[in-house]
Structure formats: C-alpha cells, structure tokens
Amino acid sequence: MLEKSRGARGLPLYSSKDHPHNSHWSFTRLPRRFTNLKNAIAGFVGLFLFIYYIFIPWATGPRLPPLYSEYHIRDLQLPQNNPNLSYPEGKDGRYIWIGNQCDGVGWGNYMQEFMLDAFVAYEAGWTNVFFNYTWNKQGGPYTKYGKGLIPSRIPLSALVQGPLVGDPWAEGDDTPRAVVKEYFDQICPKSETIKINPREVDENQPGNFPASVLVDKWIQKLATVQSRCVEVDKDELQMFSFWTFGKADVLLDVWPRYSRSPIITQFRWSNLIESAFTTNRHLFTEAHTPVYPYETIPGLLALHIRRGDYEDHCQKLATYGSVFNGFNSFPQFEDKFKVPVTDNESFKKNVYLKACFPSIRQIVEKVNQVRRTDEGKGLKDIFIMTNGRTDWVDELKTELRAAGKWGLIASSRDLTLNWEQKYIAQSVDMLIGQRAQVLVGNGFSSLTSNVVMFRMARDVPPNSNRFW
C-alpha cells in the first residue's frame, strides 16, 4: 500500500524549471572549445551555491533544505548526453521517458516503481530516461510538510548510483546508458516523440496481469513503435501500480529474471548514503566490514517499526482487507499474513495492528522468538529503523535490554547525518537493514519490501526475513 514519507526522513526533487540550473544549462550543448569555460562555470556555480546554502541561511534565518545541486550538475554532464555518439546511443538511439511515475508518495513506493520501469527499458534495449524522486510536481523547490519544509524534488543520483542513473553497465553489455530528462528534451523534440497510453498495453488497468506478462507486453509494444522517442503519458496511471507491488501472485513471477538483471545486481546506494553508513557503523556493529559490497553483518538484528500516523493507516488496511506487499510474501517465508475472516471488527483491527503497528510488548516478544531460531543464533546488536518519537524509542530500548543480553542498541534517531543526508535518511536505514543478519520488518511497508528484495537477491536465508 502507499506509504507516506516520514517528515524530514524520507523524500523528494526539482525540475529544470525551478532548479537554479535549468535545462538551458545543459553543458553537453557547448562546443568543445568551451570546455574550459564549462569547468569555470561549474566551479563558479559550486562556489556560489556553497556560499548561498551555507552562509546566507545562517545570517538570515532558518536553513533551507538542500537542493542537491551538484548531483543535478553531474547528471547534466554524463558523457552519454551527447548526440554525436554512435548507435545505440546518440541521435539515432531509442529513448523512453516514463513520465507517469508516481509522485507525492514515500521513497519506498517510488523506488520500487522506477526500478521495475527501468527493467522494462533494459529488457527492451531502449535508453531509459531518469528524472527526480518527486514529492511535489508543482510550485517551487520546497514543499511545506508538517511544521517544516522538505525538497520538492531530489535527483535520483543523490540517492542511488549505478546504471539506474547513467553509470556504465557491466563490461560486454551494449545496452545504452541511461540519460537525464533534460537531455531527452534536447535529443527528442516533441515532433518526433510518440506518446503511449498505458491502457494500450494493459487495457484493464489497473489489471491483474502477472508482472512478467506485463513486462513482455511493454517490450512487444515498444518493438512496434515507429519512432526512436517514446513518452509514457504522464497523465495516465502508472505502468506498474500499487496493485502490482501489493500482490505476491502478481509480482513474484517476474522475480527469477528481475533478480538476475543488472537493475538489481548492479544496484548501489549513493555516496551520500554509503558515507552515512560508514560514519554511523559504530552504533550498530563492532565489525569493520567494508561498506560495499553489501555483505551480511554477523550478529546484527534490524527492526523496522513504523509509528506516527501509521496507526491510522494500519486500521485502514484492516478495512480494505489488505495483504502483505508482494516482496514480503515469498512462499519460503515463515511469517505469513492471513486476512482474518470474521465479523468482529475489533478482533480484525487488533490482528492488523499487531502485524502493522506492534506495541512495545509485542515487539519484545517477537525479538525473543526470533532469537531462538536457527537464523537468530549469534544475534547481539540491534538497529531500530523507525520514525518513532525519541521518548518512545528510549522506552523500547529499555524493554529490549531488560528482556535479554544485548550489546549495541541504536535507532534511526541516533544517527549522525549531515544536512544533505538528513533528508534522505530512509535510505540509510534501508542499507543497514539490507546488511543485517536478521530483519524483522513491516509486511505492509514498501520500505521493508525493498530491503527484503535486495536481501533475497543476495540469497540470504529466506527465514532471516521476518515480519511482525
């Protein structure tokens, strides 16, 4: 189900219109003789932004959220943003801009969608066009959220690295590299761009086609296109909606091919996320494992516990009769959720709350149960992935220590993050969860779902993925 971001802990981006470096700044359009000028401009812009965002807010009032400008500049300077390159890139390449990706939802929801969209482009052999994680398409670069501001849009390259954001594919893979939206606008004028309505592919949208069938239908559709430029209509429903990600019988049939694709195998978190992991590693492990590759940290138990407005959300799930998200429902998992068949609404609500919004007592009971399993042997440290209030987290830590001998116990609230990392901190939690020996997550959460996806792709023991 859709999952809201947690205030200043999970987020959004900017378009070329409202960013200080809008589309006419695309450096790839400059002739070679202006290379030195390009570097000088980039240096000047960097200095200006440093002064503007560091010193001006300090002198004039509350500090504004970051806009991740250096990442936007990086995207504009990708070497494949060049029409003179030979096919399958350059002016003769085939480009697909999936303009209807979801917005106004949590990072977990956005992430699962843009990755599967990129898988379609990869399987079809087209150049994928990436944009920004978008909370608010309209208005300026900031959006009011709760009592503060958040970035309206965040460049994907501030969140992830790898082929998803234009880095090279593995050696020998001739799939065209991904490009940024501003370059697509240059290389694909509207007169040469064909719009595809997703209903042409899934006429019953939102339908119940298995994900692999829907992927193949998109590949077949793209094979019939008579233009080198495609835009998936931004005003229509998504290619893969929450109906796809919310049902195991719809989603999991694509897993064998998806999990082996470079969309998954070459995935890597951004330098911002990895550096936050390194800085805070002492909070949850005494092991000195390298940040990459993302190998398991022995002895680490990660708990994903949503609080705040999630209590109301969980009660709505009971009304809908919702099930665990698709990637939280692999048949090998021990913890499965069955929708209670009852007319007793109070009983039904409590079943959902235990799985979705567990109490401290229920959390401690589950932790003790997991520790007695084969997968739980040797667990000694805990990291709590949460948006809970500090006083609630402190109470949980106290109860966990009282119930068993633990070494380190830390939470999301204990992380030391710089100003840019603060607004993408959900991803720091996700990286820690990926590497835990055991994860106990929220089966209804897309954040848990994405962590489980990466863990299963690494062939961790299935029952090291547990749920409340």
Side-chain angles (χ1 to χ4, degrees), residues 34 123 146 218 231:
F34 290 130
E123 290 280 282
W218 273 101
E231 175 189 329

Side-chain angles (χ1 to χ4, degrees), residues 75-92:
D75 296 343
L76 294 175
Q77 293 180 317
L78 286 169
Q80 59 266 35
N81 296 345
N82 182 351
N84 296 320
L85 296 177
S86 58
Y87 183 86
E89 298 179 331
K91 64 182 183 303
D92 297 319

Side-chain angles (χ1 to χ4, degrees), residues 199-406:
R199 296 181 190 276
E200 299 173 29
V201 178
D202 182 0
E203 61 276 11
N204 297 316
Q205 195 183 43
N208 288 313
F209 283 123
S212 62
V213 173
L214 196 50
V215 167
D216 288 336
K217 288 170 74 71
W218 273 101
I219 293 171
Q220 294 162 10
K221 178 67 176 179
L222 290 172
T224 66
V225 171
Q226 299 301 310
S227 174
R228 61 182 184 84
C229 297
V230 164
E231 175 189 329
V232 179
D233 196 335
K234 65 180 184 299
D235 296 320
E236 295 294 332
L237 291 173
Q238 288 75 38
M239 291 167 54
F240 301 99
S241 69
F242 69 89
W243 296 103
T244 301
F245 298 104
K247 294 183 178 181
D249 57 347
V250 174
L251 180 63
L252 292 183
D253 78 312
V254 79
W255 179 245
R257 60 197 282 203
Y258 184 44
S259 62
R260 293 192 299 268
S261 78
I263 301 300
I264 300 290
T265 61
Q266 288 184 248
F267 177 91
R268 186 167 175 176
W269 293 104
S270 72
N271 291 331
L272 271 178
I273 304 304
E274 291 186 349
S275 64
F277 177 95
T278 300
T279 299
N280 291 281
R281 182 173 53 191
H282 66 282
L283 294 174
F284 49 83
T285 182
E286 294 178 351
H288 293 288
T289 54
V291 67
Y292 187 83
Y294 303 140
E295 297 172 349
T296 296
I297 299 175
L300 179 59
L301 170 64
L303 310 176
H304 181 208
I305 308 171
R306 288 292 303 271
R307 307 314 283 176
D309 63 355
Y310 219 62
E311 182 174 13
D312 292 336
H313 177 68
C314 294
Q315 295 190 52
K316 290 178 182 177
L317 296 178
T319 302
Y320 303 146
S322 299
V323 296
F324 278 179
N325 285 6
F327 284 136
N328 294 333
S329 304
F330 280 90
Q332 305 98 302
F333 291 169
E334 180 174 334
D335 292 336
K336 297 177 172 65
F337 184 81
K338 293 183 179 179
V339 177
V341 181
T342 177
D343 292 329
N344 187 330
E345 292 302 318
S346 177
F347 174 82
K348 185 176 182 180
K349 181 185 74 173
N350 288 333
V351 170
Y352 272 87
L353 287 175
K354 182 178 180 180
C356 185
F357 199 83
S359 66
I360 287 180
R361 178 183 61 80
Q362 291 168 335
I363 292 168
V364 173
E365 288 178 353
K366 184 69 175 185
V367 167
N368 290 337
Q369 174 194 343
V370 167
R371 208 175 189 184
R372 292 190 294 267
T373 65
D374 289 341
E375 289 77 16
K377 290 179 179 177
L379 290 175
K380 59 187 179 67
D381 302 314
I382 298 176
F383 183 76
I384 305 165
M385 307 154 58
T386 187
N387 64 332
R389 299 189 320 272
T390 301
D391 58 343
W392 183 89
V393 176
D394 288 342
E395 182 182 354
L396 173 59
K397 289 179 182 179
T398 299
E399 294 300 318
L400 286 169
R401 288 199 181 278
K405 294 181 179 179
W406 293 99

